[in-house]
Amino acid sequence: MADEPSSLDIAARLAREEALRANRLVRAVIPVLVILLFAQAILYALAPNTKLVLTALVYLPAFGVLALAQGLLGTPRARWSGWMVVSLLWLLPSSALWFLGGLSYEIGSGQIVSVIAAAAILGGRPAFLYAGLSIVDVALVTWAQTAERLPPPPVPMAPINAALSLGGSLLVGAALVHFLISGLRDAMMKTLQASSERDAARIRFLQAQKMEPVGRLASGVAHDFNNLLTVMTGVTSLLRSGERDPKFVASLLDDMDSATARATLMTGQLLAFTRSRPVEPEVLDIASATRKMIPLLARLIGDDVLVKFDVEEGAVRVRADRGQFEQVILNLAVNARDAMPEGGELAIGLRPSKDMKQAIVTVSDTGVGIEPALIDKIFTPFFTTKRTGTGLGLATVRDIVAQYSGKLELDSTPGRGTRVTIAFPLVEAVETRQESNETVAVTARSGRLLLVEDHDLVRRTNRRALEHAGYEVTAVLDGA
């Protein structure tokens, strides 16, 4: 998966964009202030009884501050330019309140502009700072004006000056509010975009997590099937070599049967786990079903493991799908076999419970056992303690048992083996599917058969088997 931007990367990007927006705002405000201050300075200079020296002392430092702020833009200290512009916007009207007659003049609106500028350029905390300073300043001016302690105005405050001050404050204030709202809107859009990117990255990460077990499953299945195919191709090669020793040929065929049984078991695990195989629950005599599995289990387990069956006489009936029940027994038996690499004993028991309400199935081995820390994980899909495997065997057992309202318990001691106990609800003796243990003799193996199979190898194998049995076979790909 490609690298996705982290939360820190997104936050840093937003901070850079916010700094660039503040710089653009300062660049836009400085020319407006220069024009307004220059116009006001000209009006003060042309007014009667104006002291030019005092006018220069007031406005020249203001122009100097603006020039310095302009010079800081685009440098690492660009944020200082914002502080300088906001401070100038606050100092000019604050000083005017004291030296131009107090709160009776419109010049006080400039303090509101300074607070808006602080919010738009520097952020919320500086805005609260300047708002607090403005409140203190206005309170002091109000006290001084009430106590008649304000100094006399050094220059006259003509109506044109008040109009210019108020108009300039309104103009700058409106521009700052516009930039502030625009900045908030842009920040919100950037935040939503960052959130969408984060959510998309999270979805891709979760999808990758989902695909990781699938990859492990595919790898495990491919490895196991490759081993089985190696056995099959090896047996086939040896049989083609012309070996005539009956015992050796029988041994090769047993290996082929064992590999085929393993492949069938793995296919059943996959189908059961994905629920791709049709399920047909019935009233099943699991004692009889277990006995019939002995030949298959013998091929799967091998000669170095002693298999013991402890199945009580009589019918033990549960409602379950025959294939799924057989899958449970096969999965547990194969797991037990893998836990005994040096050989051992596998015991399969089946009996009704004392209250005759449950069928108790036990599968125990004398293998390596399971560590206590892994007991809770052992039934998790794709989890396996073996170097190879799909990790579906016990997960499939758990799902099948739960499907039929059964209970599953596992007891294991490292070095002493594992015991799995399953309890299925018993059902009353009702009609079951009639099965015959007798092989029906075919009195006449002749006649013509139509074989329909879309897989070439399967079609050819089935055709040969039927022809070997004495039938005349027409094999076709499909109904057409």
Side-chain angles (χ1 to χ4, degrees):
M1 184 179 67
D3 293 337
E4 299 293 344
S6 65
S7 299
L8 292 178
D9 294 335
I10 295 174
R13 188 185 66 187
L14 291 176
R16 289 194 299 269
E17 292 177 352
E18 181 67 17
L20 292 174
R21 187 195 63 80
N23 283 345
R24 290 196 297 268
L25 185 57
V26 173
R27 290 183 188 275
V29 169
I30 288 178
V32 177
L33 289 178
V34 170
I35 294 173
L36 290 175
L37 290 177
F38 184 78
Q40 195 170 38
I42 293 296
L43 290 175
Y44 277 135
L46 296 179
N49 302 323
T50 297
K51 298 177 181 180
L52 296 179
V53 176
L54 182 60
T55 302
L57 289 176
V58 172
Y59 288 100
L60 287 180
F63 288 126
V65 170
L66 293 177
L68 181 58
Q70 179 70 31
L72 289 175
L73 291 175
T75 69
R77 298 182 179 274
R79 187 168 177 79
W80 285 102
S81 64
W83 280 98
M84 294 171 67
V85 169
V86 173
S87 299
L88 181 64
L89 281 173
W90 186 82
L91 283 172
L92 289 176
S94 298
S95 302
L97 288 177
W98 286 94
F99 297 106
L100 295 180
L103 294 176
S104 59
Y105 294 95
E106 294 84 347
I107 195 65
S109 61
Q111 286 189 320
I112 299 176
V113 175
S114 69
V115 174
I116 298 174
I121 298 173
L122 302 175
R125 291 183 179 180
F128 279 108
L129 171 64
Y130 285 104
L133 292 175
S134 299
I135 292 172
V136 173
D137 184 55
V138 169
L140 292 175
V141 171
T142 302
W143 170 81
Q145 187 173 358
T146 303
E148 297 182 353
R149 294 187 179 183
L150 284 178
V155 294
M157 186 64 178
I160 187 64
N161 302 123
L164 184 62
S165 299
L166 180 59
S169 298
L170 292 175
L171 178 62
V172 175
L176 289 171
V177 169
H178 167 74
F179 280 113
L180 179 60
I181 294 176
S182 176
L184 290 174
R185 183 174 60 251
D186 291 342
M188 183 178 297
M189 294 300 296
K190 295 294 184 182
T191 302
L192 291 176
Q193 181 181 356
S195 178
S196 299
E197 292 176 358
R198 185 172 60 251
D199 291 343
R202 180 174 176 271
I203 291 173
R204 286 192 289 270
F205 176 70
L206 291 176
Q207 184 65 23
Q209 283 186 318
K210 292 179 182 178
M211 294 305 295
E212 182 181 356
V214 176
R216 292 204 305 268
L217 171 64
S219 176
V221 170
H223 180 84
D224 289 349
F225 266 109
N226 186 59
N227 290 338
L228 299 176
L229 290 174
T230 300
V231 174
M232 296 177 185
T233 54
V235 169
T236 303
S237 177
L238 290 172
L239 290 175
R240 283 179 173 175
S241 67
E243 179 64 45
R244 293 291 184 266
D245 184 359
K247 292 184 178 180
F248 184 68
V249 172
S251 175
L252 292 177
L253 293 177
D254 287 342
D255 290 344
M256 179 73 81
D257 279 346
S258 180
T260 305
R262 282 268 185 169
T264 302
L265 175 62
M266 290 178 58
T267 304
Q269 287 178 346
L270 292 172
L271 292 175
F273 184 76
T274 60
R275 291 177 175 81
S276 300
R277 184 172 59 189
V279 177
E280 299 178 357
E282 60 177 297
V283 177
L284 179 66
D285 181 357
I286 58 176
S288 174
T290 305
R291 291 190 190 95
K292 292 179 181 179
M293 294 176 63
I294 294 177
L296 176 60
L297 287 174
R299 291 198 300 270
L300 284 173
I301 299 305
D303 296 334
D304 56 344
V305 175
L306 176 62
V307 181
K308 291 185 177 181
F309 287 91
D310 182 15
V311 181
E312 293 190 4
E313 295 299 327
V316 182
R317 297 183 176 89
V318 300
R319 181 172 294 278
D321 174 77
R322 175 180 293 274
Q324 288 188 324
F325 175 77
E326 292 175 350
Q327 189 75 50
V328 168
I329 301 299
L330 289 174
N331 286 5
L332 294 178
V334 170
N335 258 42
R337 170 66 184 87
D338 293 339
M340 297 181 287
E342 304 299 330
E345 181 178 296
L346 170 65
I348 300 177
L350 176 62
R351 59 178 174 79
S353 61
K354 293 181 179 180
D355 58 5
M356 301 301 293
K357 292 184 178 180
Q358 293 178 319
I360 309 299
V361 181
T362 59
V363 179
S364 58
D365 62 68
T366 58
V368 296
I370 304 171
E371 295 294 332
L374 301 178
I375 294 294
D376 293 337
K377 302 178 181 179
I378 204 68
F379 291 101
T380 303
F382 311 115
F383 178 84
T384 179
T385 57
K386 297 177 288 186
R387 287 178 297 177
T388 62
T390 62
L392 290 180
L394 292 179
T396 302
V397 170
R398 180 200 60 184
D399 290 347
I400 292 175
V401 172
Q403 184 177 349
Y404 297 109
S405 303
K407 296 180 180 179
L408 178 65
E409 294 181 359
L410 185 144
D411 182 27
S412 183
T413 303
R416 299 183 61 182
T418 302
R419 180 186 180 91
V420 178
T421 304
I422 303 173
F424 287 107
L426 280 173
V427 297
E428 297 295 331
V430 296
E431 70 281 354
T432 60
R433 295 184 181 179
Q434 296 297 322
E435 297 182 7
S436 175
N437 293 329
E438 299 178 358
T439 302
V440 178
V442 180
T443 56
R445 296 197 175 192
S446 62
R448 187 175 184 182
L449 300 179
L450 174 63
L451 173 63
V452 182
E453 171 58 53
D454 60 351
H455 195 283
D456 293 341
L457 290 176
V458 176
R459 184 172 65 252
R460 186 162 62 245
T461 301
N462 289 339
R463 178 178 58 80
R464 287 171 175 172
L466 291 171
E467 288 177 345
H468 182 72
Y471 296 100
E472 180 184 353
V473 180
T474 300
V476 296
L477 175 67
D478 53 33

